[in-house]
Amino acid sequence: MYYVNNKQFNCSINVTLDIFNDRWKLSIIWHLLQNDKRFKDLHEEISDITQKTLTVKLKELEEKNIINREVFPEVPPKVVYSLTKAGKRLKPVLEEMYSWGVDYVKEFGEITEDNMCYTERKRRK
């Protein structure tokens, strides 16, 4: 049995699915893998997400210890989001998901240069 975040799970995969239960959280983490970001930068990079949804998802990821939220005492307030150690450990998983997605589209679809997500990995190739 697994006990975490005030919940009980019979299987560790259910822990993972409970944390990443929607499309936005993995996208947020993907963009934070490059470097720490402010809210505005994340919102611009994840263009389909609303500000309200981004706020909610950032809070959920912070509560699950996947991201850090650092507030700087400035006027106007400056808030920077970064990955925790647990969040950084998702890098190989997300890189594999990225590669799988590219391979899937190559096999069954078409890749164009429009709206491609920027990655350090892409730059290295």
Side-chain angles (χ1 to χ4, degrees), residues 28 39 43 49-62 67 69 81:
I28 290 166
F39 182 91
H43 187 253
I49 195 169
T50 65
Q51 287 187 355
K52 180 180 179 182
T53 300
L54 180 57
T55 300
V56 169
K57 299 308 171 186
L58 287 168
K59 184 175 181 178
E60 289 174 3
L61 288 169
E62 183 182 9
I67 65 168
R69 179 180 185 268
Y81 295 93

Coordinates of all heavy atoms in Angstrom, one line a residue, residues 28 39 43 49-62 67 69 81:
I28 N 3.6 22.1 -18.2 CA 4.2 23.1 -17.4 C 5.6 22.6 -17.0 O 6.6 23.3 -17.1 CB 3.4 23.3 -16.1 CG1 2.1 24.1 -16.5 CG2 4.2 24.1 -15.0 CD1 1.0 24.1 -15.4
F39 N 5.5 33.6 -14.2 CA 4.1 33.2 -14.6 C 3.9 33.7 -16.1 O 3.4 32.9 -16.9 CB 3.1 33.9 -13.7 CG 1.7 33.5 -14.0 CD1 1.1 32.4 -13.5 CD2 0.9 34.3 -14.9 CE1 -0.2 32.1 -13.8 CE2 -0.4 33.9 -15.3 CZ -0.9 32.8 -14.7
H43 N 2.9 31.4 -19.3 CA 1.6 31.6 -20.0 C 1.8 31.8 -21.5 O 1.0 31.3 -22.3 CB 0.8 32.7 -19.3 CG -0.5 32.9 -19.9 ND1 -0.9 33.9 -20.7 CD2 -1.7 32.1 -19.7 CE1 -2.2 33.8 -21.1 NE2 -2.6 32.7 -20.5
I49 N -3.4 27.6 -22.7 CA -3.9 27.5 -21.3 C -4.4 28.9 -20.9 O -3.8 29.9 -21.2 CB -2.8 27.0 -20.3 CG1 -3.3 26.6 -19.0 CG2 -1.6 28.0 -20.2 CD1 -2.3 25.9 -18.1
T50 N -5.4 29.0 -20.1 CA -5.9 30.2 -19.6 C -5.1 30.6 -18.3 O -4.5 29.7 -17.7 CB -7.4 30.2 -19.2 OG1 -7.6 29.2 -18.1 CG2 -8.3 29.7 -20.3
Q51 N -5.1 31.9 -18.0 CA -4.4 32.3 -16.8 C -4.9 31.6 -15.5 O -4.2 31.2 -14.6 CB -4.5 33.8 -16.6 CG -3.6 34.6 -17.6 CD -3.6 36.1 -17.3 OE1 -4.3 36.6 -16.5 NE2 -2.8 36.8 -18.1
K52 N -6.2 31.5 -15.4 CA -6.8 30.8 -14.3 C -6.4 29.4 -14.2 O -6.0 28.9 -13.1 CB -8.4 30.9 -14.4 CG -9.1 30.3 -13.2 CD -10.6 30.4 -13.3 CE -11.2 29.7 -12.1 NZ -12.7 29.7 -12.2
T53 N -6.4 28.7 -15.3 CA -6.0 27.3 -15.2 C -4.6 27.1 -14.9 O -4.2 26.3 -14.1 CB -6.3 26.6 -16.6 OG1 -7.7 26.7 -16.9 CG2 -5.9 25.1 -16.6
L54 N -3.7 28.0 -15.5 CA -2.3 28.0 -15.1 C -2.1 28.2 -13.7 O -1.3 27.5 -13.0 CB -1.5 29.0 -16.0 CG 0.0 29.0 -15.8 CD1 0.6 27.7 -16.0 CD2 0.6 30.1 -16.6
T55 N -2.8 29.1 -13.1 CA -2.7 29.4 -11.7 C -3.0 28.2 -10.8 O -2.3 27.8 -9.9 CB -3.6 30.6 -11.3 OG1 -3.1 31.8 -12.0 CG2 -3.5 30.9 -9.8
V56 N -4.1 27.6 -11.2 CA -4.6 26.4 -10.4 C -3.6 25.2 -10.6 O -3.2 24.6 -9.6 CB -6.0 25.9 -11.0 CG1 -6.4 24.6 -10.4 CG2 -7.0 27.0 -10.6
K57 N -3.1 25.0 -11.8 CA -2.2 23.9 -12.0 C -0.8 24.1 -11.3 O -0.2 23.2 -10.8 CB -2.0 23.6 -13.5 CG -3.2 23.2 -14.2 CD -4.0 22.1 -13.5 CE -5.3 21.8 -14.1 NZ -6.1 20.8 -13.3
L58 N -0.3 25.4 -11.3 CA 0.9 25.7 -10.6 C 0.7 25.4 -9.1 O 1.6 24.9 -8.5 CB 1.3 27.1 -10.9 CG 1.9 27.4 -12.3 CD1 2.0 28.9 -12.5 CD2 3.2 26.7 -12.5
K59 N -0.4 25.8 -8.6 CA -0.6 25.6 -7.2 C -0.7 24.1 -6.8 O -0.1 23.6 -5.8 CB -1.9 26.3 -6.7 CG -2.2 26.2 -5.3 CD -3.4 27.0 -4.9 CE -3.6 26.8 -3.4 NZ -4.8 27.6 -2.9
E60 N -1.3 23.3 -7.7 CA -1.4 21.9 -7.5 C 0.0 21.2 -7.5 O 0.3 20.4 -6.7 CB -2.3 21.2 -8.5 CG -3.8 21.6 -8.3 CD -4.7 21.1 -9.4 OE1 -4.2 20.4 -10.3 OE2 -5.9 21.3 -9.4
L61 N 0.8 21.6 -8.5 CA 2.1 21.1 -8.6 C 3.0 21.5 -7.4 O 3.8 20.7 -7.0 CB 2.8 21.5 -9.9 CG 2.2 20.8 -11.2 CD1 2.7 21.5 -12.4 CD2 2.6 19.4 -11.2
E62 N 2.8 22.7 -6.9 CA 3.5 23.1 -5.7 C 3.1 22.3 -4.5 O 4.0 21.9 -3.7 CB 3.3 24.6 -5.5 CG 4.1 25.2 -4.3 CD 3.8 26.6 -4.1 OE1 2.8 27.2 -4.6 OE2 4.5 27.2 -3.2
I67 N 7.0 21.5 -8.1 CA 7.6 22.7 -8.4 C 7.8 23.6 -7.1 O 7.1 23.4 -6.1 CB 6.8 23.5 -9.5 CG1 5.5 23.9 -8.9 CG2 6.7 22.8 -10.8 CD1 4.7 24.9 -9.8
R69 N 7.8 27.7 -5.8 CA 7.3 29.0 -6.1 C 8.1 29.9 -5.2 O 8.0 29.9 -4.0 CB 5.8 29.1 -5.8 CG 5.2 30.5 -6.0 CD 3.7 30.4 -5.7 NE 3.1 31.6 -6.1 CZ 2.9 32.7 -5.2 NH1 3.3 32.6 -4.0 NH2 2.3 33.8 -5.6
Y81 N 9.0 30.4 -10.8 CA 8.7 28.9 -10.7 C 9.9 28.1 -11.1 O 10.5 28.4 -12.2 CB 7.4 28.5 -11.4 CG 6.2 29.2 -10.9 CD1 5.8 30.4 -11.5 CD2 5.5 28.7 -9.9 CE1 4.7 31.1 -11.0 CE2 4.4 29.4 -9.4 CZ 4.0 30.6 -9.9 OH 2.9 31.2 -9.4

